Amino acid sequence: MTYAKNAPFRADVVGSYLRPAELKAARADFEAGRIDADALKSVEDKAIVDLVAKQKAAGLHAITDGEFRRAYWHLDFMWNLQGVKRGTAPIQFKGSDGTAVVEAAGVDGEISGEHHPFVEHYRFVKALEDDNTRAKQTVPSPAQTLFVLQQGIAEDANNPYKDNDALAEAIANAYIQVAHDLYEAGCRTLQFDDCTWGAFVSEDFKDTVFGVDAKTVQRQYAAVNNAVIAAVPDDMVVTTHICRGNYQSQWFSAGGYGQVADVLFGEENVAAYYLEFDDDRSGDFEPLAKVSDGKQVVLGLITSKKPELEDPETIKARIAEAAQYVPLERLCLSTQCGFASTEEGNHLTEDQQWAKIALARSIAEEVWADR
């Protein structure tokens, strides 16, 4: 039997986990041509089985593959869409310690979502469910893919899309195909990971995005996400994680949610928001008053970037503060992001990673003991 409830859970996770040493070594061997794809998959399969067992032992209801088959939280998905190629970013974002991410994606023909390998990746985790867990699939949001692909739109020689509206429609249709294939594979929890809103709160994008009024772009990005949400079956829950960057414990932007709250919280039709609130970069809780009725908010109050454990009383006080804007019964708790948005991972150990999850679970059990 599959666990009857669906995400979000009182103690939840964003989805990525630190890669074990054997997996990192196998990926390096594969890139160097020392092992083939089947040998790499064998190592990945074993690592994911071990990871899911640890998630169950930690008392989590949500299980994921830790994104162990990816190098990046977003690009591997994009590269496996039909009509998308690997490339370098015309606009390079630098992390908080100055390291830039240079890899990106570009348009290389008609975009579609047939035969996406993430569907098979999901089936593998689905088979590991039990009567206490649900497998969820994380993907970059449609808006995130639009954000990445439109950067190089003028330079993509094989790009058949004449404007952003046409590109957005193609992306939405590709995602709808993938979402329906995931649904047929048994997926009922789909999470859109989305750094676009985290960028829009920064000084670089708060007024204009690629030369277009910021509010106009926000509405286009909400619309492309909503187009996919509207097309999935009613019993598939679509949530979103909003991030300001999580690259080897670095961040890429800063600013409170006020810049995007009207559109993100009022107009995007997700069931729940996983929001980072682990430090001052994310601002205060006041913008949560814009979260429209019925939606849940997962408070990312425990950082995945640093190993030190938070004070439980401080976290409980912050939950109470957030409950002034969203009722406590619609709140949950998680780390602010995953532990390894890229395969390198954040700067903490696996033991410290599981200690963070144990802390979130113990606090959640106390705060929502009777709910």
Side-chain angles (χ1 to χ4, degrees):
M1 251 187 103
T2 298
Y3 188 60
K5 296 182 181 179
N6 214 329
F9 303 106
R10 294 301 187 197
D12 215 321
V13 290
V14 171
S16 67
Y17 290 87
L18 295 170
R19 277 50 158 185
E22 332 53 285
L23 177 57
K24 287 186 174 183
R27 289 184 65 88
D29 287 343
F30 176 73
E31 290 297 324
R34 293 187 288 269
I35 63 173
D36 62 14
D38 287 341
L40 174 60
K41 183 179 182 301
S42 178
V43 176
E44 290 172 343
D45 288 353
K46 180 182 181 299
I48 292 166
V49 169
D50 290 345
L51 173 67
V52 169
K54 290 176 181 177
Q55 291 174 80
K56 291 177 179 179
L60 294 171
H61 292 305
I63 58 172
T64 76
D65 66 3
E67 302 178 5
F68 278 10
R69 302 189 199 274
R70 312 183 207 180
Y72 295 90
W73 64 276
H74 58 327
L75 293 175
D76 295 74
F77 179 87
M78 297 177 196
W79 292 334
N80 282 289
L81 291 170
Q82 306 297 321
V84 176
K85 63 181 179 180
R86 297 179 76 137
T88 55
I91 300 173
Q92 292 182 8
F93 294 93
K94 290 187 177 180
S96 49
D97 76 357
T99 303
V101 178
V102 298
E103 284 204 270
V107 180
D108 196 34
E110 297 282 345
I111 296 172
S112 65
E114 292 87 359
H115 312 300
H116 201 288
F118 276 33
V119 178
E120 286 304 314
H121 298 173
Y122 177 79
R123 283 196 178 98
F124 186 86
V125 183
K126 174 73 176 175
L128 301 175
E129 284 182 340
D130 58 21
D131 59 4
N132 195 47
T133 56
R134 276 215 175 196
K136 77 171 175 179
Q137 180 65 42
T138 64
V139 298
S141 71
Q144 185 72 47
T145 299
L146 177 59
F147 182 78
V148 170
L149 294 184
Q150 73 181 142
Q151 291 179 42
I153 194 168
E155 300 161 16
D156 295 327
N158 295 325
N159 175 28
Y161 306 107
K162 304 306 180 187
D163 54 46
N164 285 338
D165 289 339
L167 178 61
E169 182 179 6
I171 290 169
N173 288 335
Y175 269 79
I176 291 167
Q177 177 70 58
V178 175
H180 278 276
D181 289 347
L182 284 167
Y183 185 86
E184 290 300 314
C187 181
R188 297 298 182 269
T189 305
L190 181 62
Q191 178 179 300
F192 289 164
D193 293 329
D194 200 332
C195 280
T196 61
W197 305 99
F200 295 163
V201 303
S202 70
E203 287 298 316
D204 291 337
F205 292 105
K206 70 181 182 65
D207 296 319
T208 63
V209 182
F210 308 133
V212 180
D213 171 72
K215 194 69 78 175
T216 299
V217 176
Q218 288 178 30
R219 290 209 157 89
Q220 182 184 41
Y221 281 32
V224 71
N225 289 342
N226 284 342
V228 179
I229 295 167
V232 303
D234 290 342
D235 59 337
M236 175 179 261
V237 172
V238 181
T239 66
T240 191
H241 166 61
I242 308 301
C243 187
R244 292 163 181 77
N246 190 53
Y247 179 51
Q248 299 182 62
S249 289
Q250 299 176 69
W251 48 268
F252 288 84
S253 65
Y257 292 96
Q259 292 279 352
V260 297
D262 287 335
V263 178
L264 175 61
F265 297 152
E267 299 179 20
E268 187 165 288
N269 297 326
V270 292
Y273 302 94
Y274 290 70
L275 302 177
E276 62 175 0
F277 277 113
D278 62 324
D279 62 25
D280 291 342
R281 289 181 307 108
S282 304
D284 59 26
F285 296 121
E286 186 174 357
L288 295 182
K290 300 288 183 70
V291 175
S292 47
D293 290 346
K295 297 175 182 176
Q296 292 181 272
V297 173
V298 185
L299 299 169
L301 294 169
I302 296 172
T303 190
S304 66
K305 288 181 166 65
K306 300 174 184 178
E308 295 79 15
L309 285 178
E310 287 78 0
D311 172 46
E313 296 306 315
T314 300
I315 299 300
K316 286 186 281 187
R318 297 201 71 200
I319 294 170
E321 185 182 349
Q324 298 175 35
Y325 303 98
V326 176
L328 186 62
E329 59 267 22
R330 286 167 48 203
L331 295 177
C332 301
L333 177 65
S334 74
T335 53
Q336 118 282 342
C337 194
F339 293 93
S341 298
T342 65
E343 61 186 331
E344 296 88 352
N346 284 350
H347 297 161
L348 69 171
T349 67
E350 288 188 49
D351 285 345
Q352 290 164 339
Q353 164 185 270
W354 293 110
K356 292 278 184 175
I357 291 170
L359 177 64
R361 184 163 179 253
S362 66
I363 293 172
E365 286 177 345
E366 185 174 346
V367 171
W368 290 281
D370 58 345
R371 293 174 185 268

